[in-house]
Amino acid sequence: MRPPCDEAVIRSAEVGVPCPPEAGFWILAATILGSSLAFIDSSVVNVALPALQSSLNATVVDVQWVIESYGLFLGALILAGGSLGDLFGRRLMFLAGVAIFAAASAGCGLALNIQQLVVARAIQGVGAAFLVPGSLAIISASFQEKTRGQAIGTWSGFTAITAAGGPVLGGWLIEHASWRWVFFINLPIAAAVIAISLWRIPESRDPGAKHVDWLGTLLITLGLGGLVYGFIETVSLGWTHPLVWGSLIVGFALSVLFVLVEARLVSPLVPLALFASSSFSGANLLTLFLYAAVGIFFFLFPLNLIQVQGYSATATGAALLPLILLIFLLSRWSGGLVARYGARIPLIAGPLVAAAGFALFIIPSVGASYWKAFFPAILVLGVGMAITVAPLTTVVMNSAHADRAGTASGINNAVARIASVLAIAVLGIVMVSAFSSSLDHALAGLSLPAAILRDIHAEQIKLAGLQLPPGLDKATAAAVRGLAGQAFVFGFRLVMLICSGLAVAASMVAWRLIPKRQGSAPPLTS
């Protein structure tokens, strides 16, 4: 799901080189296709996880790294990517991002093992860190105030369509061709973006841009990387392994050092003075809690549908369409709530509704009907997120002075991405532990030989995608497979309960830190 404040980044920036009317169509085409590369890839890869897990004999730790390596570099470098565009040229960095993303996509599709795929995904994240802010900055620089609202509406509408349709197309490709085509499909799109950009998009820079905060960028990347590595590898190495506790200590220390360094720099990557505003601090803490819940949900839900419920990849891609479409279709309505009631009430109510949606995902068991069990939960979660996103963007924009609104929006955007990265790392531990505990308890009733139990235990790190040891008769194999599905549902329910708690915490943050009334920002789409 697209993070908040993308549209705010566009709206809050100054016009650079206004485009002639005939170029506007091509600029929007290039930026929509470019943004869609990142949006589609983020969602489609989740649907592809069961297929590539089976194809590459991967564990849950491996597939976590497939998601985390991309999100880590995108979240840590996206602010630096925007600064590089202001300094060296927005079109140049946009093109560099598209080219890197395309080359890495080819590497993903050609990967022979999980290690190669993870490295290629990390490079994709670097490309996306240039591509995403570059596409937003080009729209900002190219359209004057009177036409910018229409341009934002067009960009937002088409990227919502691609974000919704991407998983369905990706699921179809996985089902009828291979998971590798999820990555190969990026290549013709990237070629079209590069051609249009070279032909029609003018170059623009920020005359006031002086330098990039390389030290801050390095510290946040290494700090976040250390924390993510420590949490993810806990599942396979254990808490007492030197690599685990060592990386956690280093990651935490570098994260603290990042804050200290940013406080002393004249032009920091993250101006800490923005957090003096309770509105800005509250909005980002709310984002951290809520998008952490959303991130782990989007990671585990496709695994549930495909490996446990028996859905096809195409059906799994379509299962979340109502959620994405609800957020898009209700965004103008929720923006109107801000004008009528202020942002505080929607930001209290929206996460509470989302919490109810997460809680409803606790109900379905193995073999549950989509329309009776999953669809109502998806609808409630979609309404909750729709109520939240536009008011959240408004608060972020209004919590900073006009000259820093773009920076504030970019920080909130990065917080949403980092929240997802951390949630998958931390709550992945909860999921594996709950699955293993439940399955071990259930297997005790089957009276299996000790050697068979050891083999199954060694495979538990693959969750419901575990491979059963040879020699089991069909009835026993079916029983073990059923117990694995039930164990996955047990772990999924526990994580959804935590997600519901995170959403409630987000609502409490809004209640405590968001003022009762703020000035309203202009509508996000028009």
Side-chain angles (χ1 to χ4, degrees):
M1 192 176 69
R2 197 170 71 203
C5 285
D6 275 347
E7 296 172 7
V9 171
I10 301 173
R11 186 176 295 281
S12 57
E14 296 181 0
V15 178
V17 183
C19 64
E22 63 273 11
F25 169 82
W26 295 107
I27 290 172
L28 279 175
T31 53
I32 287 169
L33 289 173
S35 300
S36 297
L37 282 172
F39 293 150
I40 292 174
D41 219 64
S42 296
S43 56
V44 171
V45 172
N46 287 347
V47 178
L49 289 180
L52 65 86
Q53 181 181 5
S54 176
S55 173
L56 299 178
N57 193 30
T59 68
V60 70
V61 171
D62 295 329
V63 297
Q64 278 179 285
W65 275 118
V66 171
I67 301 297
E68 297 288 72
S69 57
Y70 175 85
L72 171 63
F73 283 95
L74 173 56
L77 299 178
I78 191 169
L79 293 175
S83 299
L84 287 169
D86 292 339
L87 186 62
F88 296 111
R90 293 159 180 142
R91 187 185 72 162
L92 174 62
M93 297 313 301
F94 176 65
L95 286 170
V98 173
I100 293 170
F101 194 94
S105 296
C108 290
L110 296 171
L112 300 177
N113 54 55
I114 196 69
Q115 291 78 20
Q116 293 178 8
L117 179 59
V118 169
V119 170
R121 284 283 288 166
I123 298 172
Q124 261 194 329
V126 175
F130 298 148
L131 157 63
V132 172
S135 64
L136 305 181
I138 286 171
I139 299 175
S140 300
S142 301
F143 292 92
Q144 299 182 22
E145 190 62 36
K146 63 180 180 181
T147 58
R148 187 179 291 185
Q150 183 178 0
I152 293 172
T154 304
W155 176 85
S156 180
F158 276 97
T159 52
I161 291 170
T162 55
V168 180
L169 174 60
W172 187 90
L173 289 172
I174 295 163
E175 194 175 342
H176 295 90
S178 166
W179 61 265
R180 299 179 185 275
W181 281 99
V182 168
F183 299 105
F184 288 144
I185 198 173
N186 292 333
L187 301 182
I189 299 175
V193 172
I194 291 172
I196 295 171
S197 300
L198 291 173
W199 178 39
R200 284 291 190 176
I201 296 181
E203 186 58 281
S204 63
R205 296 176 178 83
D206 180 1
K210 296 179 180 179
H211 71 281
V212 177
D213 179 10
W214 291 113
L215 179 57
T217 300
L218 179 64
L219 289 174
I220 191 59
T221 303
L222 294 178
L224 185 59
L227 293 173
V228 169
Y229 181 87
F231 284 123
I232 289 180
E233 293 299 328
T234 296
V235 173
S236 55
L237 299 178
W239 287 102
T240 59
H241 196 283
L243 280 177
V244 170
W245 55 261
S247 63
L248 287 173
I249 291 173
V250 171
F252 179 76
L254 291 177
S255 299
V256 172
L257 184 58
F258 168 77
V259 175
L260 297 176
V261 168
E262 295 297 283
R264 287 164 172 76
L265 292 178
V266 176
S267 300
L269 187 70
V270 177
L272 298 182
L274 288 171
F275 290 91
S277 164
S278 64
S279 295
F280 185 73
S281 297
N284 281 285
L285 190 56
L286 184 157
T287 300
L288 183 69
F289 288 148
L290 187 58
Y291 277 80
V294 169
I296 188 63
F297 168 75
F298 274 94
F299 176 74
L300 291 177
F301 190 60
L303 295 176
N304 188 353
L305 292 187
I306 294 174
Q307 293 181 339
V308 178
Q309 309 297 340
Y311 285 41
S312 69
T314 307
T316 300
L320 287 169
L321 273 176
L323 187 153
I324 299 169
L325 291 177
L326 270 174
I327 294 172
F328 173 67
L329 294 174
L330 296 181
S331 62
R332 181 177 293 277
W333 167 76
S334 63
L337 294 177
V338 180
R340 188 170 181 179
Y341 302 107
R344 184 171 183 263
I345 292 177
L347 287 181
I348 293 172
L352 286 178
V353 176
F358 286 123
L360 287 174
F361 281 105
I362 299 173
I363 297 173
S365 58
V366 178
S369 163
Y370 173 78
W371 295 108
K372 292 181 179 180
F374 293 114
F375 183 66
I378 288 170
L379 284 183
V380 174
L381 178 59
V383 170
M385 294 303 298
I387 293 172
T388 305
V389 173
L392 178 60
T393 301
T394 300
V395 169
V396 171
M397 286 188 69
N398 290 341
S399 61
H401 294 294
D403 60 341
R404 285 196 166 181
T407 301
S409 301
I411 291 171
N412 184 255
N413 194 303
V415 167
R417 300 175 191 278
I418 291 172
S420 178
V421 170
L422 291 174
I424 292 172
V426 175
L427 294 180
I429 301 172
V430 176
M431 180 66 199
V432 174
S433 298
F435 174 85
S436 298
S437 175
S438 176
L439 184 58
D440 286 341
H441 179 74
L443 289 174
L446 290 184
S447 301
L448 295 173
I452 295 293
L453 287 173
R454 282 196 301 271
D455 290 342
I456 295 175
H457 186 79
E459 286 282 312
Q460 286 179 357
I461 198 171
K462 296 180 180 178
L463 296 181
L466 57 79
Q467 300 296 314
L468 297 181
L472 288 179
D473 60 83
K474 289 185 178 180
T476 304
V480 173
R481 184 67 67 192
L483 292 177
Q486 293 172 15
F488 186 98
V489 169
F490 174 78
F492 183 76
R493 286 170 169 170
L494 179 59
V495 173
M496 289 303 99
L497 181 62
I498 294 172
C499 289
S500 183
L502 286 170
V504 171
S507 177
M508 295 298 293
V509 167
W511 176 60
R512 293 299 301 270
L513 295 179
I514 304 300
K516 291 186 177 180
R517 193 77 185 180
Q518 275 194 328
S520 60
L524 291 178
T525 58
S526 57

mmCIF file of all heavy atoms in Angstrom, residues 39-40 43-44 157-170 317-326 328:
data_model
loop_
_atom_site.group_PDB
_atom_site.id
_atom_site.type_symbol
_atom_site.label_atom_id
_atom_site.label_comp_id
_atom_site.label_asym_id
_atom_site.label_seq_id
_atom_site.Cartn_x
_atom_site.Cartn_y
_atom_site.Cartn_z
ATOM 1 N N PHE A 39 5.655 0.976 -6.855
ATOM 2 C CA PHE A 39 4.426 0.591 -6.179
ATOM 3 C C PHE A 39 4.060 -0.861 -6.484
ATOM 4 O O PHE A 39 3.720 -1.639 -5.599
ATOM 5 C CB PHE A 39 3.269 1.505 -6.596
ATOM 6 C CG PHE A 39 3.426 2.926 -6.138
ATOM 7 C CD1 PHE A 39 2.882 3.968 -6.871
ATOM 8 C CD2 PHE A 39 4.107 3.232 -4.977
ATOM 9 C CE1 PHE A 39 3.019 5.286 -6.454
ATOM 10 C CE2 PHE A 39 4.256 4.536 -4.546
ATOM 11 C CZ PHE A 39 3.703 5.560 -5.293
ATOM 12 N N ILE A 40 4.117 -1.224 -7.780
ATOM 13 C CA ILE A 40 3.726 -2.576 -8.181
ATOM 14 C C ILE A 40 4.684 -3.597 -7.587
ATOM 15 O O ILE A 40 4.275 -4.633 -7.058
ATOM 16 C CB ILE A 40 3.680 -2.690 -9.720
ATOM 17 C CG1 ILE A 40 2.536 -1.835 -10.277
ATOM 18 C CG2 ILE A 40 3.504 -4.134 -10.146
ATOM 19 C CD1 ILE A 40 2.515 -1.772 -11.792
ATOM 20 N N SER A 43 4.134 -4.544 -3.928
ATOM 21 C CA SER A 43 2.967 -5.370 -3.611
ATOM 22 C C SER A 43 3.018 -6.732 -4.283
ATOM 23 O O SER A 43 2.647 -7.745 -3.683
ATOM 24 C CB SER A 43 1.679 -4.633 -4.020
ATOM 25 O OG SER A 43 1.723 -4.279 -5.391
ATOM 26 N N VAL A 44 3.498 -6.785 -5.529
ATOM 27 C CA VAL A 44 3.488 -8.038 -6.268
ATOM 28 C C VAL A 44 4.447 -9.049 -5.662
ATOM 29 O O VAL A 44 4.161 -10.256 -5.620
ATOM 30 C CB VAL A 44 3.826 -7.790 -7.753
ATOM 31 C CG1 VAL A 44 4.026 -9.099 -8.490
ATOM 32 C CG2 VAL A 44 2.721 -6.989 -8.415
ATOM 33 N N GLY A 157 -4.599 8.987 -9.221
ATOM 34 C CA GLY A 157 -5.582 8.041 -9.728
ATOM 35 C C GLY A 157 -4.944 6.877 -10.467
ATOM 36 O O GLY A 157 -5.260 5.709 -10.231
ATOM 37 N N PHE A 158 -4.011 7.202 -11.370
ATOM 38 C CA PHE A 158 -3.391 6.137 -12.161
ATOM 39 C C PHE A 158 -2.467 5.262 -11.323
ATOM 40 O O PHE A 158 -2.397 4.049 -11.538
ATOM 41 C CB PHE A 158 -2.632 6.734 -13.347
ATOM 42 C CG PHE A 158 -3.500 7.003 -14.531
ATOM 43 C CD1 PHE A 158 -4.026 8.268 -14.762
ATOM 44 C CD2 PHE A 158 -3.820 5.989 -15.421
ATOM 45 C CE1 PHE A 158 -4.841 8.521 -15.846
ATOM 46 C CE2 PHE A 158 -4.640 6.227 -16.516
ATOM 47 C CZ PHE A 158 -5.155 7.498 -16.730
ATOM 48 N N THR A 159 -1.744 5.855 -10.369
ATOM 49 C CA THR A 159 -0.888 5.021 -9.525
ATOM 50 C C THR A 159 -1.729 4.137 -8.604
ATOM 51 O O THR A 159 -1.319 3.016 -8.276
ATOM 52 C CB THR A 159 0.084 5.877 -8.685
ATOM 53 O OG1 THR A 159 -0.643 6.882 -7.967
ATOM 54 C CG2 THR A 159 1.127 6.533 -9.567
ATOM 55 N N ALA A 160 -2.911 4.615 -8.204
ATOM 56 C CA ALA A 160 -3.807 3.767 -7.411
ATOM 57 C C ALA A 160 -4.293 2.579 -8.237
ATOM 58 O O ALA A 160 -4.376 1.448 -7.741
ATOM 59 C CB ALA A 160 -4.998 4.582 -6.905
ATOM 60 N N ILE A 161 -4.593 2.838 -9.513
ATOM 61 C CA ILE A 161 -5.043 1.758 -10.389
ATOM 62 C C ILE A 161 -3.939 0.718 -10.577
ATOM 63 O O ILE A 161 -4.170 -0.494 -10.509
ATOM 64 C CB ILE A 161 -5.488 2.319 -11.754
ATOM 65 C CG1 ILE A 161 -6.778 3.132 -11.582
ATOM 66 C CG2 ILE A 161 -5.704 1.188 -12.768
ATOM 67 C CD1 ILE A 161 -7.170 3.917 -12.810
ATOM 68 N N THR A 162 -2.713 1.194 -10.796
ATOM 69 C CA THR A 162 -1.609 0.242 -10.992
ATOM 70 C C THR A 162 -1.288 -0.505 -9.703
ATOM 71 O O THR A 162 -0.963 -1.696 -9.736
ATOM 72 C CB THR A 162 -0.344 0.963 -11.494
ATOM 73 O OG1 THR A 162 -0.002 2.020 -10.576
ATOM 74 C CG2 THR A 162 -0.560 1.567 -12.860
ATOM 75 N N ALA A 163 -1.394 0.194 -8.557
ATOM 76 C CA ALA A 163 -1.145 -0.477 -7.285
ATOM 77 C C ALA A 163 -2.201 -1.545 -7.019
ATOM 78 O O ALA A 163 -1.906 -2.598 -6.431
ATOM 79 C CB ALA A 163 -1.130 0.536 -6.142
ATOM 80 N N ALA A 164 -3.443 -1.297 -7.465
ATOM 81 C CA ALA A 164 -4.515 -2.273 -7.264
ATOM 82 C C ALA A 164 -4.421 -3.415 -8.265
ATOM 83 O O ALA A 164 -4.608 -4.585 -7.922
ATOM 84 C CB ALA A 164 -5.877 -1.576 -7.381
ATOM 85 N N GLY A 165 -4.147 -3.076 -9.529
ATOM 86 C CA GLY A 165 -4.116 -4.104 -10.571
ATOM 87 C C GLY A 165 -2.825 -4.888 -10.623
ATOM 88 O O GLY A 165 -2.798 -6.011 -11.141
ATOM 89 N N GLY A 166 -1.745 -4.316 -10.098
ATOM 90 C CA GLY A 166 -0.448 -4.979 -10.160
ATOM 91 C C GLY A 166 -0.432 -6.358 -9.541
ATOM 92 O O GLY A 166 0.044 -7.320 -10.163
ATOM 93 N N PRO A 167 -0.941 -6.530 -8.302
ATOM 94 C CA PRO A 167 -0.937 -7.872 -7.704
ATOM 95 C C PRO A 167 -1.746 -8.894 -8.488
ATOM 96 O O PRO A 167 -1.400 -10.079 -8.508
ATOM 97 C CB PRO A 167 -1.544 -7.630 -6.312
ATOM 98 C CG PRO A 167 -1.236 -6.197 -6.017
ATOM 99 C CD PRO A 167 -1.341 -5.496 -7.341
ATOM 100 N N VAL A 168 -2.834 -8.454 -9.127
ATOM 101 C CA VAL A 168 -3.638 -9.389 -9.918
ATOM 102 C C VAL A 168 -2.847 -9.841 -11.145
ATOM 103 O O VAL A 168 -2.773 -11.040 -11.452
ATOM 104 C CB VAL A 168 -4.968 -8.737 -10.341
ATOM 105 C CG1 VAL A 168 -5.803 -9.723 -11.157
ATOM 106 C CG2 VAL A 168 -5.742 -8.257 -9.122
ATOM 107 N N LEU A 169 -2.241 -8.872 -11.868
ATOM 108 C CA LEU A 169 -1.409 -9.227 -13.015
ATOM 109 C C LEU A 169 -0.227 -10.083 -12.570
ATOM 110 O O LEU A 169 0.106 -11.088 -13.223
ATOM 111 C CB LEU A 169 -0.905 -7.949 -13.695
ATOM 112 C CG LEU A 169 0.116 -8.141 -14.835
ATOM 113 C CD1 LEU A 169 -0.481 -8.971 -15.955
ATOM 114 C CD2 LEU A 169 0.599 -6.783 -15.346
ATOM 115 N N GLY A 170 0.410 -9.691 -11.462
ATOM 116 C CA GLY A 170 1.540 -10.470 -10.960
ATOM 117 C C GLY A 170 1.125 -11.881 -10.590
ATOM 118 O O GLY A 170 1.849 -12.848 -10.882
ATOM 119 N N GLY A 317 -3.846 -12.090 -5.367
ATOM 120 C CA GLY A 317 -3.649 -10.717 -5.812
ATOM 121 C C GLY A 317 -4.936 -9.924 -5.826
ATOM 122 O O GLY A 317 -4.955 -8.720 -5.522
ATOM 123 N N ALA A 318 -6.045 -10.604 -6.159
ATOM 124 C CA ALA A 318 -7.338 -9.919 -6.218
ATOM 125 C C ALA A 318 -7.977 -9.745 -4.844
ATOM 126 O O ALA A 318 -8.851 -8.886 -4.668
ATOM 127 C CB ALA A 318 -8.297 -10.695 -7.116
ATOM 128 N N ALA A 319 -7.546 -10.524 -3.870
ATOM 129 C CA ALA A 319 -8.208 -10.524 -2.559
ATOM 130 C C ALA A 319 -8.137 -9.179 -1.865
ATOM 131 O O ALA A 319 -9.047 -8.808 -1.109
ATOM 132 C CB ALA A 319 -7.590 -11.607 -1.671
ATOM 133 N N LEU A 320 -7.050 -8.443 -2.096
ATOM 134 C CA LEU A 320 -6.866 -7.157 -1.417
ATOM 135 C C LEU A 320 -7.321 -5.959 -2.242
ATOM 136 O O LEU A 320 -7.155 -4.822 -1.805
ATOM 137 C CB LEU A 320 -5.397 -6.985 -1.013
ATOM 138 C CG LEU A 320 -4.958 -7.859 0.166
ATOM 139 C CD1 LEU A 320 -3.450 -7.828 0.327
ATOM 140 C CD2 LEU A 320 -5.629 -7.397 1.448
ATOM 141 N N LEU A 321 -7.880 -6.224 -3.423
ATOM 142 C CA LEU A 321 -8.376 -5.120 -4.261
ATOM 143 C C LEU A 321 -9.360 -4.217 -3.516
ATOM 144 O O LEU A 321 -9.265 -2.985 -3.622
ATOM 145 C CB LEU A 321 -9.031 -5.673 -5.528
ATOM 146 C CG LEU A 321 -8.130 -5.935 -6.733
ATOM 147 C CD1 LEU A 321 -8.928 -6.574 -7.855
ATOM 148 C CD2 LEU A 321 -7.490 -4.645 -7.207
ATOM 149 N N PRO A 322 -10.332 -4.773 -2.783
ATOM 150 C CA PRO A 322 -11.296 -3.879 -2.099
ATOM 151 C C PRO A 322 -10.618 -2.892 -1.156
ATOM 152 O O PRO A 322 -11.037 -1.733 -1.062
ATOM 153 C CB PRO A 322 -12.192 -4.860 -1.334
ATOM 154 C CG PRO A 322 -12.098 -6.139 -2.094
ATOM 155 C CD PRO A 322 -10.688 -6.190 -2.595
ATOM 156 N N LEU A 323 -9.567 -3.323 -0.449
ATOM 157 C CA LEU A 323 -8.881 -2.436 0.487
ATOM 158 C C LEU A 323 -8.247 -1.256 -0.243
ATOM 159 O O LEU A 323 -8.425 -0.093 0.148
ATOM 160 C CB LEU A 323 -7.829 -3.239 1.256
ATOM 161 C CG LEU A 323 -7.103 -2.536 2.413
ATOM 162 C CD1 LEU A 323 -6.641 -3.571 3.439
ATOM 163 C CD2 LEU A 323 -5.888 -1.751 1.941
ATOM 164 N N ILE A 324 -7.517 -1.540 -1.311
ATOM 165 C CA ILE A 324 -6.815 -0.485 -2.049
ATOM 166 C C ILE A 324 -7.806 0.464 -2.699
ATOM 167 O O ILE A 324 -7.644 1.693 -2.676
ATOM 168 C CB ILE A 324 -5.872 -1.115 -3.090
ATOM 169 C CG1 ILE A 324 -4.829 -1.990 -2.395
ATOM 170 C CG2 ILE A 324 -5.178 -0.038 -3.920
ATOM 171 C CD1 ILE A 324 -4.019 -2.848 -3.324
ATOM 172 N N LEU A 325 -8.876 -0.090 -3.280
ATOM 173 C CA LEU A 325 -9.865 0.756 -3.949
ATOM 174 C C LEU A 325 -10.630 1.613 -2.944
ATOM 175 O O LEU A 325 -10.951 2.773 -3.230
ATOM 176 C CB LEU A 325 -10.835 -0.124 -4.742
ATOM 177 C CG LEU A 325 -10.225 -0.830 -5.961
ATOM 178 C CD1 LEU A 325 -11.257 -1.741 -6.620
ATOM 179 C CD2 LEU A 325 -9.691 0.178 -6.972
ATOM 180 N N LEU A 326 -10.914 1.079 -1.770
ATOM 181 C CA LEU A 326 -11.602 1.870 -0.747
ATOM 182 C C LEU A 326 -10.777 3.084 -0.347
ATOM 183 O O LEU A 326 -11.305 4.195 -0.219
ATOM 184 C CB LEU A 326 -11.872 1.009 0.483
ATOM 185 C CG LEU A 326 -13.199 0.248 0.535
ATOM 186 C CD1 LEU A 326 -13.239 -0.659 1.748
ATOM 187 C CD2 LEU A 326 -14.376 1.212 0.559
ATOM 188 N N PHE A 328 -8.557 4.670 -2.078
ATOM 189 C CA PHE A 328 -8.540 5.656 -3.166
ATOM 190 C C PHE A 328 -9.896 6.351 -3.308
ATOM 191 O O PHE A 328 -9.967 7.586 -3.394
ATOM 192 C CB PHE A 328 -8.147 4.981 -4.474
ATOM 193 C CG PHE A 328 -8.256 5.884 -5.663
ATOM 194 C CD1 PHE A 328 -7.407 6.971 -5.800
ATOM 195 C CD2 PHE A 328 -9.220 5.666 -6.635
ATOM 196 C CE1 PHE A 328 -7.503 7.821 -6.894
ATOM 197 C CE2 PHE A 328 -9.323 6.511 -7.730
ATOM 198 C CZ PHE A 328 -8.470 7.589 -7.857
#
